[in-house]
Amino acid sequence: FSRMVLSSSSNTDHPNRKLNDSGGDAIRQPLLSTEEVEQNDVPPLNVLEEVPKTGFHIDVRKYRRQELAQQLRQRRHEYSIVDNLHIGIYTFNVAGLEAPKPNEEDFLEQILGSNELPDILVVSLQEVDMSALGIVMGNTQKGYSWVEAMHNTVRKVGPFAELMAEQLAGLMLFIYVKTVHQPNVRNMCADVIKLGFLGGSLANKGALAGRFTLYARRFVFVGTHLNPHPEGNQDRIAQYKRSINELKFDLPPWADDELDMFHISESTDYIDDMNVPLNPTGSLIDPLTTDYCFWCGDLNFRLEMSREDVMKNIEMKNFPALVAVDQLKIAQKEGMCFDVFQEGELSFPPTYRFDKGTVTYDTSPKQRSPAYTDRVLYMSPKPSENGDNPDGNVIIQTHYGFVDVRPSDHRPVCAHFQVRCQKSDPKMVAAVFSDTLDHFTEQLSDISLSTEGSAYCPVRSESGCGDVCKIM
């Protein structure tokens, strides 16, 4: 069992954002020391920036990376092959359960072992610790117990490396990859936002998110716990909108999200100006700036139908009638929330609320109406003009249902997917990169410096723009 430590940091200018300190070394260390970064700071300019009277500044290093990325994109078919990755996502509201101990029956193993072993394994838990201390502090000793239990279970299930294990009071998000894929993970980062009481300052509700690059594809996974009750629909919609707007992934200054997509980092590390940070202050990336985004958790949307009618439709297995009055489906159609996401067919009974340990829906005095509170949604990339993703919908859902494990008043929901990725041949990558770099170096050599340090810019068109430029 191999563990990879999450590399992330919180943003001090965001009052509701806080990440746990995972400690240890980052997945990828900066290529320069702090002193070297300061000495080689690259201003966050565009490649060409118009300067009055003197023409244009050329940030050659930044232009070099962007142009290389473009040329390598065009030649990707020469050094990579299209392959599939299997993703398994599990969401479970544990309703305050204690984490299973090593000598106890492991319901986590029953859940995670219920389907084919995936390449990427994601688990979102809710209501792990809803104590007052947890809601205020965010992480607790009970959370650490769940981390240990999850690691023990995953160790038994298969050979996985941990990318992320984070807690926000009752909410937890775990991300693992098979150890065979571990060396290909790039730019792992995370964010968290509180959505609870007092205008979102407490952690009884919230969102946890992780982002990384693997085999030329960028993945985002979000786990959330939204407001409850049938009358809380507008609150849930507002919480989703706030999550989309405020969740940000803070890539470190040395991270090159564009070039890392092509999995050529090992081939470029020896190039001096490849080691200079593109963004000295980092880059804030939103959840939808990605190739694949998966959103799961106890979203708490309810059914706009009387309990009596809901129970009749469940007995008749008339699940389409329930889907037609599902608050989330209605909100999607109206463009209120999750409108850019898709969901598999709900061909199974509602996953909430059961009497614990039984198959009977709530018989307490409150008689809560059953609902599809626990969901997994996904966003497929759209077709792109540059040929990166000509097929558009490249996420194939292979399974969507619940696991019949009964310790909670919720049923755990699992969703499995196949997604496309591009695995590179290291030798071909090196050959194509070397050839591309040689050609690109010839282009740069066309810039003839004058005695005043200016140059004529050849990069704005094939014939050159003829503008006077200054080399940065």
Side-chain angles (χ1 to χ4, degrees):
F1 180 78
S2 176
R3 182 164 190 250
M4 295 181 71
V5 179
L6 172 65
S7 173
S8 59
S9 61
S10 61
N11 297 296
T12 56
D13 60 339
H14 196 305
N16 294 324
R17 182 176 293 131
K18 180 180 181 297
L19 285 174
N20 298 341
D21 182 10
S22 298
D25 296 329
I27 288 178
R28 186 176 180 193
Q29 294 293 343
L31 300 175
L32 295 176
S33 66
T34 303
E35 294 76 11
E36 289 172 319
V37 168
E38 292 173 354
Q39 293 171 6
N40 294 280
D41 232 9
V42 180
L45 301 174
N46 294 327
V47 172
L48 290 174
E49 180 175 284
E50 189 166 0
V51 179
K53 298 182 181 179
T54 59
F56 294 84
H57 282 304
I58 303 176
D59 185 340
V60 173
R61 288 168 294 191
K62 188 167 184 178
Y63 167 71
R64 190 176 191 176
R65 286 187 172 193
Q66 292 176 345
E67 184 64 16
L68 277 172
Q70 177 62 28
Q71 293 186 21
L72 285 163
R73 179 187 291 115
Q74 295 171 356
R75 300 184 61 179
R76 181 180 284 172
H77 65 282
E78 298 180 37
Y79 62 84
S80 63
I81 59 172
V82 176
D83 201 354
N84 291 324
L85 285 176
H86 179 195
I87 299 175
I89 300 176
Y90 299 80
T91 178
F92 188 25
N93 185 319
V94 299
L97 288 171
E98 295 292 331
K101 295 178 174 57
N103 58 343
E104 296 178 344
E105 181 180 3
D106 190 352
F107 58 83
L108 286 177
E109 186 175 1
Q110 297 176 46
I111 296 171
L112 301 184
S114 60
N115 284 274
E116 180 186 351
L117 199 63
D119 297 292
I120 302 173
L121 172 63
V122 180
V123 182
S124 175
L125 301 179
Q126 305 87 41
E127 295 193 15
V128 167
D129 187 350
M130 298 302 288
S131 66
L133 179 63
I135 291 173
V136 173
M137 298 299 294
N139 51 11
T140 63
Q141 184 59 47
K142 194 171 183 181
Y144 295 135
S145 299
W146 275 98
V147 170
E148 183 178 0
M150 187 65 69
H151 290 350
N152 289 338
T153 299
V154 171
R155 185 183 294 112
K156 290 185 287 185
V157 170
F160 284 100
E162 176 202 319
L163 298 187
M164 178 175 177
E166 291 287 344
Q167 179 190 11
L168 178 68
L171 181 63
M172 299 194 76
L173 184 64
F174 301 87
I175 302 177
Y176 302 88
V177 297
K178 280 184 177 177
T179 52
V180 67
H181 304 307
Q182 175 180 343
N184 299 284
V185 175
R186 296 288 183 274
N187 297 340
M188 179 69 214
C189 52
D191 198 14
V192 57
I193 182 171
K194 299 176 183 178
L195 299 169
F197 298 135
L198 302 178
S201 60
L202 296 182
N204 58 303
K205 296 293 183 285
L208 284 167
R211 183 186 194 272
F212 60 91
T213 300
L214 176 63
Y215 297 129
R217 286 295 182 264
R218 291 164 290 192
F219 294 85
V220 169
F221 298 95
V222 184
T224 56
H225 191 190
L226 305 182
N227 273 10
H229 309 308
E231 64 274 14
N233 195 37
Q234 292 304 313
D235 290 337
R236 290 187 282 274
I237 292 171
Q239 287 173 329
Y240 164 78
K241 291 180 177 179
R242 189 168 162 214
S243 299
I244 281 291
N245 291 331
E246 297 186 18
L247 280 172
K248 301 293 180 184
F249 300 107
D250 192 0
L251 294 181
W254 58 87
D256 192 328
D257 200 42
E258 183 71 8
L259 282 183
D260 276 347
M261 276 188 65
F262 301 102
H263 190 218
I264 61 171
S265 299
E266 291 82 356
S267 303
T268 62
D269 284 348
Y270 68 93
I271 306 295
D272 289 341
D273 54 8
M274 288 294 174
N275 294 339
V276 178
L278 270 184
N279 304 288
T281 58
S283 301
L284 292 178
I285 308 295
D286 68 74
L288 300 185
T289 303
T290 185
D291 295 296
Y292 303 115
C293 183
F294 299 88
W295 201 296
C296 65
D298 181 357
L299 306 186
N300 253 324
F301 288 95
R302 307 304 170 97
L303 300 176
E304 299 285 358
M305 182 183 284
S306 69
R307 188 180 194 277
E308 181 181 1
D309 287 341
V310 169
M311 295 300 294
K312 287 180 181 178
N313 280 294
I314 293 174
E315 185 176 353
M316 295 185 297
K317 297 185 177 180
N318 186 12
F319 304 131
L322 301 180
V323 172
V325 295
D326 176 71
Q327 289 178 338
L328 175 54
K329 294 294 187 183
I330 295 171
Q332 282 182 299
K333 290 179 181 179
E334 295 177 352
M336 299 297 292
C337 68
F338 291 103
D339 51 313
V340 297
F341 287 85
Q342 302 177 57
E343 185 180 21
E345 181 183 359
L346 292 170
S347 58
F348 50 91
T351 56
Y352 173 84
R353 183 193 190 202
F354 293 90
D355 293 339
K356 291 183 179 181
T358 76
V359 296
T360 304
Y361 286 103
D362 188 15
T363 59
S364 73
K366 292 185 177 182
Q367 292 278 293
R368 293 179 180 84
S369 182
Y372 293 103
T373 56
D374 311 283
R375 315 287 276 267
V376 180
L377 298 95
Y378 61 95
M379 186 191 73
S380 297
K382 297 178 181 179
S384 59
E385 297 179 358
N386 60 20
D388 272 357
N389 177 29
D391 301 322
N393 187 9
V394 293
I395 298 180
I396 300 173
Q397 185 152 22
T398 58
H399 176 75
Y400 194 31
F402 71 76
V403 182
D404 191 16
V405 174
R406 307 173 186 177
S408 169
D409 55 1
H410 290 249
R411 291 291 186 266
V413 168
C414 64
H416 283 246
F417 305 88
Q418 277 191 354
V419 301
R420 290 183 179 177
C421 65
Q422 291 198 323
K423 295 182 178 180
S424 302
D425 181 327
K427 292 183 179 180
M428 290 303 299
V429 168
V432 171
F433 178 78
S434 177
D435 182 60
T436 303
L437 185 62
D438 289 344
H439 174 70
F440 181 69
T441 303
E442 291 176 4
Q443 286 183 314
L444 287 183
S445 67
D446 291 338
I447 301 179
S448 56
L449 288 174
S450 71
T451 55
E452 297 179 353
S454 296
Y456 286 97
C457 174
V459 299
R460 301 190 76 185
S461 67
E462 291 183 1
S463 59
C465 68
D467 289 312
V468 175
C469 305
K470 281 194 174 182
I471 304 298
M472 298 297 293

